[in-house]
Amino acid sequence: MAPEKSDAIAQSLHRARSAQRRWQTVAIPDRLRILRQFRGLLTMNAESLCRTMSLPNRAPQDTIVAEILPLADACRFLECNAARILRPRRETNGNRPWWLGAVGVEIHREPRGVVLIIGPRNYPLFLPGVQTLQALAAGNAVLWKPAPGGAQVALSCAQLLEEAGLPRDLVHILPEAPEAARSAIRHAVDLVVLTGSAETGRMVMYQAADALTPAVMELSGCDAVFVREDADVQLVVRALMFGLRFNGSATCIAPRRVFVARPLYSEVSRGLADAASALPPMLVEPQVRSRVVGLARAALAGGAALLHGNLDVDNGPGMTPLILADVRPEMEILQSDIFAPVLGLVPVDSDDQAVASADVCPYALGAAVFGERRGAESLARRLNVGCVIINDLIVPTADPRVPFAPRRRSGFGVTRGAEGLLEMTIVKCIATRKRGPRRHLEPAGPQDLRIVRSLLEMSHAPTLGRRIRAAIRFVLSVVQRMRGA
């Protein structure tokens, strides 16, 4: 990045930090009143915001559903709940060790400072928008680095926040170039929040680690779908078709691996092959398409079967959805982060086999389970992922109550929901000694070792008899020390 642009980012960070110091003194209800005004402006400017986002495979109504409606819902969630979530918490005395005397403990949540939010290309408003609102509600300032093509909607969102009454310099929109984020990290932001690929996350983490900057990473997915024996096959087929066509399947929690109970495998395979014939081709970036075709050919060479689609890289601008059957969990196509309409079907004989097969993949963002509720919930609790949907796909995660907490190569930290709001804060504990002895402030005496040993056993010995004997020794030791004094 040119020196003058780096200097401009440093100046933006300086202004944001000054504005944040004033903003954190604003009462939470007053911050939330501004968010309420923003929600109204967001609603009234929905269509103009849609025009600032030109994404392939998306109609305007899809953009409203995918970006603006869930952002407005997330805003209302903060209006109703942020004050309760962020309020100080006073610990009760019930769990206080008796030997500490009258010590009161309060837990406070304070803003981190300036938060760098690095947005993704596939949801340029909703995902960084929710993170921005949460950061502001918690008392932070924001540097928003949009993905390529996302600057216009980010600027429009920032303008609406200012119209709603947000003080100037609390939100700065950085250039789209990756170097803008690197420059912001070099100039010492207080938290980095990234939504992007695992490869991007690795590079951002490397620089954040060098600056000892904490980070939240929502990275790549290769999500699994589990179809149990008692699943509704028609519902499964409809859901998977939705996962293939929604946003052109360019969604981090879109289905990629489908583990099907063997008694339903033939029926599910036929249903998917028939339904996929009605799907239109999806616009996919040429390099992504070429990669997918290479992975699919390798899978076919290893014994998988082509249920639907073609492997012609030069077959026009669109990509026909690709469905492979009899894929093995260890095949690379089921261990890769792919932003394209691809499904791989794996027959399984039990939930145990399904779980073991799913764990072969290094990504652990989300999953879906289809089947009778009790069994599906039991399986969901066993899955090593951050979010599980039962008998649906993708859309329930737009619920503003739902936190996103990726695992393994899919990232770490939490975004959205109450936990995502708390992620925008740091903990401060205030412990107050109200009364009682402060013997620890005096020099140790000859009886102190016996006293503290007796104290330890009196509090934690495994049997009642040992605790009683320790209590007697404790009293005698204290009396002896008092007589000596």
Side-chain angles (χ1 to χ4, degrees), residues 110-126:
E110 296 186 346
R112 289 182 178 268
V114 180
V115 179
L116 171 63
I117 295 175
I118 306 174
R121 182 180 299 183
N122 57 333
Y123 292 94
L125 175 62
F126 170 50

Side-chain angles (χ1 to χ4, degrees), residues 206-231:
Y206 180 83
Q207 188 173 8
D210 187 58
L212 290 180
T213 302
V216 175
M217 300 275 165
E218 184 182 322
L219 307 177
S220 300
C222 184
D223 273 20
V225 175
F226 299 84
V227 183
R228 304 185 76 246
E229 287 188 35
D230 50 11

Side-chain angles (χ1 to χ4, degrees), residues 136-160:
L136 293 172
N140 300 286
V142 171
L143 302 184
W144 178 341
K145 205 294 288 184
Q152 189 175 354
V153 70
L155 288 166
S156 298
C157 185
Q159 183 178 353
L160 292 180

Side-chain angles (χ1 to χ4, degrees), residues 93 96 99-104 432-438 440:
N93 293 332
R96 183 184 65 203
W99 55 273
L100 282 176
V103 174
T432 304
R433 169 75 77 173
K434 300 176 182 178
R435 60 183 180 278
R438 296 168 175 81
H440 55 278

